[in-house]
Amino acid sequence: MRLRDLADVDSDSEVTGFAIDHRKVARGSVFGAFRGAKFNGEDFIGDAVERGAVAVVARPDANASVPVLADKEPRRLFAGLAAKFYAPFPEVVVAVTGTNGKTSTVEMTRQLWRMLGHRSASIGTLGVTTSDDQVSTGLTTPDIVTFLNNMAGLKRMGISHVAYEASSHGLDQHRAEGIPLAAAAFTNFSRDHLDYHETMDAYFDAKMRLFDDLLEPGKPAVIWTDDPKSGEVIKRAARRGHQVKTVGRKGETIRLVEQSPTALGQTLILDHDGKTHRLALPLIGAYQSANVLTAAGLTLATGGAWDATFAAMQRLAPVRGRLERAVISRAGVPVYIDYAHTPDALEAAIAALRAHVEGRLITVFGAGGDRDQGKRPQMGKVATELSDIAIVTDDNPRSEDPARIRADVMAGAPGALEVGGRREAIAEAIRIARAGDIVLVAGKGHETGQIIGDKVLPFDDALVARECAA
């Protein structure tokens, strides 16, 4: 494809690809020179041109010996140009934003589509998932070049339906744009990522870009009704001209009438189109209803019939690292793994298991280094107040002193046990647990590494739990 075919520029240069890292520029690349938290891509324009870049996307005051495609929002311009280059993409694409539940919702949407006969995929924290494979991308929302490349690759594989996680970072940095959305969804909103966004208002506004900027007016917006921010999201979506479809206890598209736990899942009484339906959901955890109903809302919004969608909901499989039962110990104690790493998510995970506990609920958790420090004592408070036994341990300390992080958590966790080594903490929880108890190991979920300094050491909570329970 020639440069003149992509942009309003008089150049016959052949475009071979796009790059935002000057080290990945090849002959014919369009280089995105963006300012980041640590580096300024404009400083590497010369290097990119030497490597063969035929154009640069940057701010209006940038200079280069090749055409500069300038915009005050260069990331957005870059995404639009790259989308034209990498197209075509799957026909039906939806995006999900929210603090918690994004991973489960996009994966459940993928499963529902598959059971309705569509070749489908999900993209997010778990990577790129299809019915045949799962490939990690390393980020909830990968960089725009990887994102568009993945989407184009899925189209070539015959995938027609894709659900992806729209993280606040990705939305703020225009990392998931250029592909028309068939629908979008909101799960919930609570404290997270303030190390990046600084304020809750900025964090919320970043998420709302999905509805304010990316989703075209007239398209369906599926909104979980039972979050304190839901009303504001509904107003913004309606103001934008979206078809608002609500799910939850106050939902009009799917209303959650009643919810009760069972031995291996839960029973939901739902109201849809004036009729009552009893759903035997094979997933443990009360909050899973939000993920399931949001996924069902997206399925309906993209053409799924209710009867087929309802039948498929009863066959949903657990999502990796989301209240995943890793093992049952020799004492008969189930050990669950969950990705919860915020106060709100930790509270939801504990509440989800509480209904199934006959004895004590033992929670193992920690807080990450180089991240929002204010949530640490809040997590400690949640764990100690809602668990019978709380064990504070390490969880990706990164460049910080692990003992200092634990001290911050312990400040809000009077009476909690402190066991620095994560393996030792898991082993201790399993050792003291007896019949009737449940152990929750929170923080990592699907992750398979412990980040200490600049090293990622192999560590899988589920695997370690099985080893400790053997």
Side-chain angles (χ1 to χ4, degrees):
M1 181 179 289
R2 295 178 305 172
L3 184 58
R4 70 167 66 250
D5 297 325
L6 279 175
D8 184 18
V9 59
D10 186 16
S11 173
D12 286 323
S13 295
E14 192 68 23
V15 175
T16 60
F18 282 68
I20 58 175
D21 183 336
H22 71 284
R23 296 166 297 184
K24 295 182 179 180
V25 169
R27 188 161 301 281
S29 294
V30 173
F31 175 57
F34 312 136
R35 290 191 170 186
K38 296 181 179 179
F39 301 103
N40 181 2
E42 295 172 4
D43 296 337
F44 303 99
I45 289 177
D47 292 336
V49 173
E50 286 185 9
R51 290 173 178 266
V54 296
V56 173
V57 179
R59 296 179 308 151
D61 57 352
N63 295 304
S65 58
V66 296
V68 176
L69 310 177
D71 194 275
K72 64 179 181 180
E73 288 283 1
R75 292 179 185 269
R76 179 183 295 178
L77 174 61
F78 184 87
L81 296 173
K84 290 174 65 176
F85 177 81
Y86 289 106
F89 305 111
E91 292 84 352
V92 177
V93 178
V94 303
V96 178
T97 198
T99 303
N100 302 308
K102 296 186 299 296
T103 300
S104 293
T105 300
V106 299
E107 171 55 15
M108 289 176 183
T109 303
R110 181 196 71 79
Q111 291 187 39
L112 292 175
W113 277 335
R114 178 183 58 81
M115 287 186 276
L116 267 60
H118 303 295
R119 294 200 64 186
S120 54
S122 62
I123 299 178
T125 305
L126 297 180
V128 181
T129 304
T130 67
S131 59
D132 303 314
D133 197 12
Q134 186 176 91
V135 179
S136 175
T137 60
L139 292 169
T140 298
T141 309
D143 68 83
I144 185 64
V145 177
T146 301
F147 176 73
L148 295 173
N149 242 327
N150 287 339
M151 284 290 195
L154 291 171
K155 170 66 175 178
R156 291 191 295 271
M157 290 170 55
I159 299 293
S160 61
H161 289 58
V162 179
Y164 73 84
E165 297 182 51
S167 70
S168 59
H169 291 72
L171 289 165
D172 186 59
Q173 297 171 11
H174 305 279
R175 285 197 254 129
E177 301 195 10
I179 301 177
L181 293 173
F186 168 80
T187 58
N188 52 57
F189 182 78
S190 62
R191 179 173 181 146
D192 202 6
H193 302 307
L194 294 194
D195 52 297
Y196 176 87
H197 296 287
E198 297 185 351
T199 69
M200 291 293 283
D201 286 342
Y203 177 36
F204 183 70
D205 285 340
K207 289 196 171 296
M208 289 303 97
R209 280 206 65 242
L210 178 59
F211 302 98
D212 295 343
D213 299 333
L214 271 64
L215 186 66
E216 293 181 2
K219 296 294 184 180
V222 179
I223 300 168
W224 173 253
T225 60
D226 305 334
D227 185 85
K229 279 287 190 179
S230 296
E232 187 172 345
V233 179
I234 291 170
K235 289 180 181 178
R236 289 178 78 145
R239 189 163 59 241
R240 172 74 167 162
H242 300 315
Q243 300 176 38
V244 176
K245 296 181 179 296
T246 56
V247 299
R249 293 191 179 277
K250 302 173 185 177
E252 295 183 356
T253 303
I254 306 175
R255 185 165 66 91
L256 176 59
V257 179
E258 188 178 318
Q259 182 176 27
S260 56
T262 61
L264 297 176
Q266 56 193 293
T267 298
L268 306 181
I269 305 300
L270 307 176
D271 181 89
H272 172 72
D273 201 21
K275 296 181 180 179
T276 300
H277 306 266
R278 184 183 183 88
L279 173 66
L281 186 65
L283 301 172
I284 197 169
Y287 73 80
Q288 292 282 27
S289 64
N291 303 327
V292 170
L293 296 188
T294 304
L298 284 170
T299 305
L300 297 177
T302 52
W306 168 255
D307 288 346
T309 301
F310 181 76
M313 290 162 72
Q314 302 178 65
R315 305 197 303 275
L316 284 167
V319 177
R320 172 81 165 98
R322 273 61 181 176
L323 281 185
E324 172 190 0
R325 191 175 67 192
V327 68
I328 297 178
S329 74
R330 292 182 178 181
V333 176
V335 180
Y336 286 90
I337 307 300
D338 195 80
Y339 189 52
H341 57 278
T342 67
D344 181 68
L346 189 59
E347 179 178 355
I350 294 172
L353 292 174
R354 175 57 71 183
H356 301 270
V357 176
E358 296 178 359
R360 302 170 301 171
L361 180 58
I362 304 170
T363 301
V364 179
F365 74 107
D370 301 333
R371 297 294 187 268
D372 177 14
Q373 297 182 10
K375 71 180 182 181
R376 295 172 185 174
Q378 295 181 13
M379 292 179 67
K381 183 175 186 292
V382 166
T384 51
E385 289 185 353
L386 302 182
S387 307
D388 297 292
I389 299 175
I391 302 177
V392 177
T393 190
D394 295 339
D395 184 357
N396 294 336
R398 298 184 177 87
S399 70
E400 289 194 61
D401 177 8
R404 176 61 188 174
I405 298 174
R406 295 196 303 274
D408 289 344
V409 177
M410 292 292 291
L417 303 177
E418 182 178 356
V419 181
R422 194 169 181 89
R423 176 180 288 272
E424 291 73 19
I426 294 172
E428 177 64 10
I430 293 174
R431 185 190 69 80
I432 64 177
R434 53 181 182 256
D437 293 347
I438 288 180
V439 172
L440 167 64
V441 182
K444 289 192 176 299
H446 64 283
E447 294 178 348
T448 57
Q450 177 82 309
I451 307 174
I452 301 176
D454 58 357
K455 296 181 179 178
V456 181
L457 306 179
F459 200 98
D460 184 324
D461 278 353
L463 177 61
V464 171
R466 287 191 283 269
E467 292 172 349
C468 292

